[in-house]
Amino acid sequence: MDNQFPNQSSEKILIGHISEVERTTFYKKTYSHVAGGVLAFILFEYVLLQSDAVVKFMLSMTEGYKWLLMLGGFMLATNYAEGMAMKTTDKNKQYLAYGIYIFFEALIFVPMLYIVTELMGPAGSEVLYQASIVTLALFTGLSAVVLMTKSDFSFLKTGLTVGFFIAIGLIIAGTIFGFNLGLWFSVGMCLLAGGSILYQTSNLVKTYGVEDYIPAALGLFASLMLLFWYILRIFMSRD
Protein backbone atom coordinates (compact mmCIF):
# COMPACT_ATOMS: atom_id res chain seq x y z
CA MET A 1 0.00 0.00 0.00
CA ASP A 2 2.94 2.31 -0.51
CA ASN A 3 1.97 5.15 -2.79
CA GLN A 4 4.92 6.98 -4.33
CA PHE A 5 4.09 8.75 -7.58
CA PRO A 6 6.37 9.72 -10.46
CA ASN A 7 7.38 13.35 -10.86
CA GLN A 8 5.20 15.56 -12.94
CA SER A 9 6.02 16.94 -16.34
CA SER A 10 8.44 19.88 -16.36
CA GLU A 11 5.69 21.90 -18.07
CA LYS A 12 3.65 21.88 -14.89
CA ILE A 13 4.15 24.47 -12.20
CA LEU A 14 5.14 22.50 -9.11
CA ILE A 15 3.87 23.51 -5.68
CA GLY A 16 7.37 24.41 -4.58
CA HIS A 17 7.54 27.14 -7.25
CA ILE A 18 4.42 29.12 -6.37
CA SER A 19 3.66 31.78 -3.78
CA GLU A 20 2.84 30.96 -0.17
CA VAL A 21 -0.77 32.08 -0.67
CA GLU A 22 -1.23 29.82 -3.70
CA ARG A 23 0.46 26.95 -1.84
CA THR A 24 -1.95 27.38 1.07
CA THR A 25 -4.87 27.22 -1.37
CA PHE A 26 -3.48 23.98 -2.79
CA TYR A 27 -3.12 22.48 0.69
CA LYS A 28 -6.70 23.44 1.56
CA LYS A 29 -8.01 21.78 -1.61
CA THR A 30 -5.89 18.68 -1.00
CA TYR A 31 -6.93 18.14 2.60
CA SER A 32 -10.57 18.93 1.90
CA HIS A 33 -10.44 16.14 -0.68
CA VAL A 34 -8.86 13.82 1.87
CA ALA A 35 -11.76 14.63 4.21
CA GLY A 36 -14.18 14.02 1.34
CA GLY A 37 -12.48 10.68 0.72
CA VAL A 38 -13.04 9.68 4.35
CA LEU A 39 -16.75 10.55 4.07
CA ALA A 40 -17.03 8.58 0.81
CA PHE A 41 -15.25 5.64 2.49
CA ILE A 42 -17.81 5.68 5.32
CA LEU A 43 -20.67 5.74 2.81
CA PHE A 44 -19.21 2.90 0.72
CA GLU A 45 -18.54 0.87 3.87
CA TYR A 46 -22.08 1.34 5.15
CA VAL A 47 -23.56 0.19 1.83
CA LEU A 48 -21.22 -2.81 1.53
CA LEU A 49 -21.93 -3.98 5.08
CA GLN A 50 -25.67 -4.00 4.33
CA SER A 51 -25.14 -6.75 1.74
CA ASP A 52 -24.96 -10.24 3.23
CA ALA A 53 -23.56 -11.54 -0.05
CA VAL A 54 -20.67 -9.05 -0.02
CA VAL A 55 -19.92 -9.72 3.66
CA LYS A 56 -19.95 -13.52 3.22
CA PHE A 57 -17.76 -13.31 0.12
CA MET A 58 -15.22 -11.01 1.78
CA LEU A 59 -15.10 -13.15 4.93
CA SER A 60 -14.47 -16.22 2.76
CA MET A 61 -11.57 -14.40 1.08
CA THR A 62 -9.73 -14.06 4.41
CA GLU A 63 -9.08 -17.81 4.51
CA GLY A 64 -5.60 -19.01 3.57
CA TYR A 65 -4.26 -18.28 0.11
CA LYS A 66 -7.50 -16.50 -0.84
CA TRP A 67 -6.35 -13.54 1.24
CA LEU A 68 -3.19 -13.28 -0.88
CA LEU A 69 -5.37 -13.27 -4.00
CA MET A 70 -7.49 -10.54 -2.45
CA LEU A 71 -4.44 -8.44 -1.55
CA GLY A 72 -3.03 -8.94 -5.04
CA GLY A 73 -6.29 -7.83 -6.62
CA PHE A 74 -6.44 -4.85 -4.28
CA MET A 75 -2.91 -3.78 -5.22
CA LEU A 76 -3.63 -4.09 -8.95
CA ALA A 77 -6.86 -2.08 -8.67
CA THR A 78 -5.35 0.64 -6.54
CA ASN A 79 -2.22 0.92 -8.69
CA TYR A 80 -4.49 1.32 -11.71
CA ALA A 81 -6.42 4.08 -9.93
CA GLU A 82 -3.22 5.86 -8.87
CA GLY A 83 -1.84 5.69 -12.40
CA MET A 84 -5.09 7.00 -13.87
CA ALA A 85 -5.14 9.95 -11.46
CA MET A 86 -1.55 10.94 -12.23
CA LYS A 87 -1.63 10.48 -16.01
CA THR A 88 -4.57 12.76 -16.76
CA THR A 89 -5.45 16.39 -16.17
CA ASP A 90 -9.14 15.67 -16.69
CA LYS A 91 -10.77 16.31 -13.31
CA ASN A 92 -13.63 13.88 -14.04
CA LYS A 93 -11.15 11.06 -14.64
CA GLN A 94 -9.19 12.03 -11.53
CA TYR A 95 -12.36 11.91 -9.44
CA LEU A 96 -13.22 8.55 -11.00
CA ALA A 97 -9.78 7.21 -10.08
CA TYR A 98 -10.14 8.52 -6.54
CA GLY A 99 -13.58 6.94 -6.27
CA ILE A 100 -12.24 3.57 -7.49
CA TYR A 101 -9.48 3.71 -4.91
CA ILE A 102 -11.89 4.57 -2.08
CA PHE A 103 -14.28 1.79 -3.10
CA PHE A 104 -11.57 -0.87 -3.02
CA GLU A 105 -10.33 0.43 0.33
CA ALA A 106 -13.87 0.09 1.67
CA LEU A 107 -14.17 -3.41 0.19
CA ILE A 108 -11.00 -4.74 1.80
CA PHE A 109 -12.06 -3.28 5.15
CA VAL A 110 -15.37 -5.20 5.10
CA PRO A 111 -14.20 -8.29 7.06
CA MET A 112 -12.51 -6.30 9.81
CA LEU A 113 -15.32 -3.78 10.23
CA TYR A 114 -17.93 -6.55 10.16
CA ILE A 115 -16.15 -8.21 13.09
CA VAL A 116 -15.97 -4.91 14.95
CA THR A 117 -19.52 -3.74 14.33
CA GLU A 118 -21.41 -7.05 14.37
CA LEU A 119 -19.46 -9.65 16.33
CA MET A 120 -17.80 -7.66 19.11
CA GLY A 121 -21.05 -6.24 20.47
CA PRO A 122 -21.10 -2.89 22.32
CA ALA A 123 -17.33 -3.08 22.85
CA GLY A 124 -16.87 -2.95 19.08
CA SER A 125 -18.37 0.53 18.81
CA GLU A 126 -15.95 1.78 21.46
CA VAL A 127 -13.01 0.13 19.70
CA LEU A 128 -13.98 1.68 16.38
CA TYR A 129 -14.44 5.12 17.95
CA GLN A 130 -11.11 5.02 19.76
CA ALA A 131 -9.19 3.75 16.72
CA SER A 132 -10.76 6.44 14.51
CA ILE A 133 -9.89 9.25 16.95
CA VAL A 134 -6.30 8.07 17.38
CA THR A 135 -5.85 7.69 13.61
CA LEU A 136 -7.18 11.17 12.81
CA ALA A 137 -5.15 12.71 15.63
CA LEU A 138 -1.93 11.10 14.42
CA PHE A 139 -2.60 11.97 10.78
CA THR A 140 -3.38 15.59 11.67
CA GLY A 141 -0.37 15.87 13.97
CA LEU A 142 2.10 14.38 11.50
CA SER A 143 0.79 16.54 8.66
CA ALA A 144 0.97 19.65 10.86
CA VAL A 145 4.59 18.91 11.79
CA VAL A 146 5.58 18.94 8.12
CA LEU A 147 3.45 21.89 7.01
CA MET A 148 4.37 24.10 9.97
CA THR A 149 8.09 23.32 10.11
CA LYS A 150 8.49 22.84 6.32
CA SER A 151 10.85 19.97 7.08
CA ASP A 152 12.07 17.72 4.26
CA PHE A 153 11.42 14.04 4.95
CA SER A 154 12.48 12.80 1.51
CA PHE A 155 15.29 10.84 3.22
CA LEU A 156 12.62 8.39 4.42
CA LYS A 157 11.98 7.06 0.91
CA THR A 158 14.57 4.27 0.95
CA GLY A 159 13.63 3.12 4.45
CA LEU A 160 9.93 3.12 3.62
CA THR A 161 10.50 1.14 0.42
CA VAL A 162 12.57 -1.51 2.22
CA GLY A 163 10.12 -1.59 5.12
CA PHE A 164 7.09 -2.15 2.90
CA PHE A 165 8.85 -4.94 0.96
CA ILE A 166 9.71 -6.66 4.25
CA ALA A 167 6.11 -6.23 5.42
CA ILE A 168 4.73 -7.75 2.22
CA GLY A 169 7.13 -10.68 2.60
CA LEU A 170 6.02 -11.26 6.19
CA ILE A 171 2.34 -11.08 5.21
CA ILE A 172 2.88 -13.65 2.46
CA ALA A 173 4.88 -15.92 4.79
CA GLY A 174 2.28 -15.61 7.53
CA THR A 175 -0.51 -16.53 5.14
CA ILE A 176 1.34 -19.50 3.61
CA PHE A 177 2.67 -20.97 6.86
CA GLY A 178 -0.30 -20.01 9.01
CA PHE A 179 1.34 -17.96 11.76
CA ASN A 180 -0.05 -14.81 13.35
CA LEU A 181 2.10 -11.74 12.78
CA GLY A 182 0.98 -10.38 16.14
CA LEU A 183 0.86 -7.04 17.91
CA TRP A 184 4.40 -5.89 17.18
CA PHE A 185 3.91 -6.28 13.44
CA SER A 186 0.89 -3.96 13.66
CA VAL A 187 2.97 -1.48 15.68
CA GLY A 188 5.71 -1.63 13.05
CA MET A 189 3.18 -1.04 10.27
CA CYS A 190 1.83 1.98 12.15
CA LEU A 191 5.37 3.37 12.20
CA LEU A 192 5.69 2.73 8.46
CA ALA A 193 2.32 4.40 7.83
CA GLY A 194 3.38 7.40 9.94
CA GLY A 195 6.62 7.65 8.01
CA SER A 196 4.66 7.46 4.76
CA ILE A 197 2.47 10.38 5.89
CA LEU A 198 5.56 12.46 6.72
CA TYR A 199 7.15 11.58 3.37
CA GLN A 200 3.99 12.16 1.33
CA THR A 201 3.30 15.51 2.98
CA SER A 202 6.83 16.88 2.63
CA ASN A 203 7.01 15.59 -0.94
CA LEU A 204 3.91 17.51 -2.07
CA VAL A 205 6.00 20.50 -3.16
CA LYS A 206 8.29 18.32 -5.31
CA THR A 207 5.79 16.01 -6.93
CA TYR A 208 2.51 17.76 -7.71
CA GLY A 209 1.42 20.59 -9.97
CA VAL A 210 -0.96 23.31 -8.84
CA GLU A 211 -3.97 21.42 -10.26
CA ASP A 212 -2.96 18.02 -8.89
CA TYR A 213 -4.78 18.27 -5.57
CA ILE A 214 -6.91 15.20 -6.35
CA PRO A 215 -4.00 12.75 -6.89
CA ALA A 216 -2.23 14.40 -3.94
CA ALA A 217 -5.29 13.70 -1.79
CA LEU A 218 -5.37 10.11 -3.04
CA GLY A 219 -1.80 9.50 -1.88
CA LEU A 220 -2.46 10.98 1.57
CA PHE A 221 -5.76 9.11 1.88
CA ALA A 222 -3.96 5.83 1.15
CA SER A 223 -1.46 6.45 3.94
CA LEU A 224 -4.27 7.47 6.30
CA MET A 225 -6.17 4.25 5.64
CA LEU A 226 -3.05 2.13 6.12
CA LEU A 227 -2.57 3.79 9.50
CA PHE A 228 -6.23 3.22 10.40
CA TRP A 229 -6.04 -0.46 9.41
CA TYR A 230 -3.23 -1.25 11.82
CA ILE A 231 -4.37 1.01 14.65
CA LEU A 232 -7.75 -0.74 14.48
CA ARG A 233 -5.99 -4.12 14.60
CA ILE A 234 -4.10 -3.01 17.72
CA PHE A 235 -7.30 -1.90 19.46
CA MET A 236 -9.08 -5.12 18.44
CA SER A 237 -6.26 -7.20 19.93
CA ARG A 238 -7.02 -5.79 23.38
CA ASP A 239 -10.50 -7.36 23.46
Side-chain angles (χ1 to χ4, degrees):
M1 297 175 73
D2 186 20
N3 296 278
Q4 313 310 333
F5 298 112
N7 288 333
Q8 297 296 291
S9 169
S10 58
E11 296 179 357
K12 290 189 176 183
I13 303 174
L14 298 182
I15 302 308
H17 300 155
I18 61 179
S19 70
E20 195 64 34
V21 172
E22 292 174 311
R23 195 178 303 176
T24 299
T25 299
F26 172 83
Y27 289 146
K28 287 180 179 178
K29 288 181 178 180
T30 299
Y31 283 94
S32 67
H33 279 75
V34 174
V38 172
L39 293 176
F41 171 83
I42 294 171
L43 177 60
F44 278 136
E45 199 66 53
Y46 175 79
V47 172
L48 290 171
L49 287 171
Q50 302 309 302
S51 171
D52 290 338
V54 170
V55 171
K56 288 180 181 178
F57 173 75
M58 290 304 298
L59 287 173
S60 72
M61 293 302 292
T62 63
E63 301 170 358
Y65 72 92
K66 292 181 181 179
W67 183 238
L68 292 181
L69 294 177
M70 177 59 63
L71 288 178
F74 171 78
M75 293 176 68
L76 287 174
T78 54
N79 284 339
Y80 172 77
E82 291 167 3
M84 180 193 300
M86 287 300 295
K87 291 176 182 178
T88 181
T89 58
D90 186 328
K91 287 290 183 289
N92 290 329
K93 291 183 178 179
Q94 288 182 340
Y95 278 119
L96 175 61
Y98 195 16
I100 290 172
Y101 191 97
I102 296 168
F103 173 79
F104 278 97
E105 280 283 7
L107 187 64
I108 205 166
F109 264 88
V110 165
M112 190 186 300
L113 290 180
Y114 175 76
I115 293 172
V116 172
T117 59
E118 299 295 332
L119 302 185
M120 291 180 66
S125 298
E126 186 67 17
V127 165
L128 184 58
Y129 173 77
Q130 292 174 350
S132 300
I133 293 299
V134 171
T135 301
L136 290 175
L138 286 174
F139 179 78
T140 302
L142 291 170
S143 299
V145 165
V146 179
L147 296 177
M148 293 176 68
T149 65
K150 299 181 181 179
S151 300
D152 185 359
F153 287 92
S154 58
F155 65 88
L156 293 175
K157 182 176 182 179
T158 300
L160 289 171
T161 301
V162 173
F164 279 115
F165 272 112
I166 292 173
I168 291 171
L170 288 172
I171 291 170
I172 293 173
T175 303
I176 292 175
F177 299 110
F179 61 84
N180 191 336
L181 294 174
L183 174 63
W184 288 109
F185 178 79
S186 294
V187 172
M189 289 304 297
C190 286
L191 292 175
L192 277 178
S196 181
I197 292 168
L198 290 173
Y199 175 80
Q200 289 273 358
T201 307
S202 68
N203 207 41
L204 288 176
V205 297
K206 300 177 182 178
T207 305
Y208 299 100
V210 294
E211 292 299 319
D212 290 333
Y213 47 86
I214 299 172
L218 192 158
L220 289 169
F221 175 81
S223 296
L224 171 65
M225 297 313 296
L226 177 64
L227 182 63
F228 179 53
W229 177 279
Y230 285 101
I231 286 179
L232 184 56
R233 283 178 64 93
I234 290 172
F235 276 90
M236 289 173 67
S237 70
R238 302 182 311 166
D239 296 274

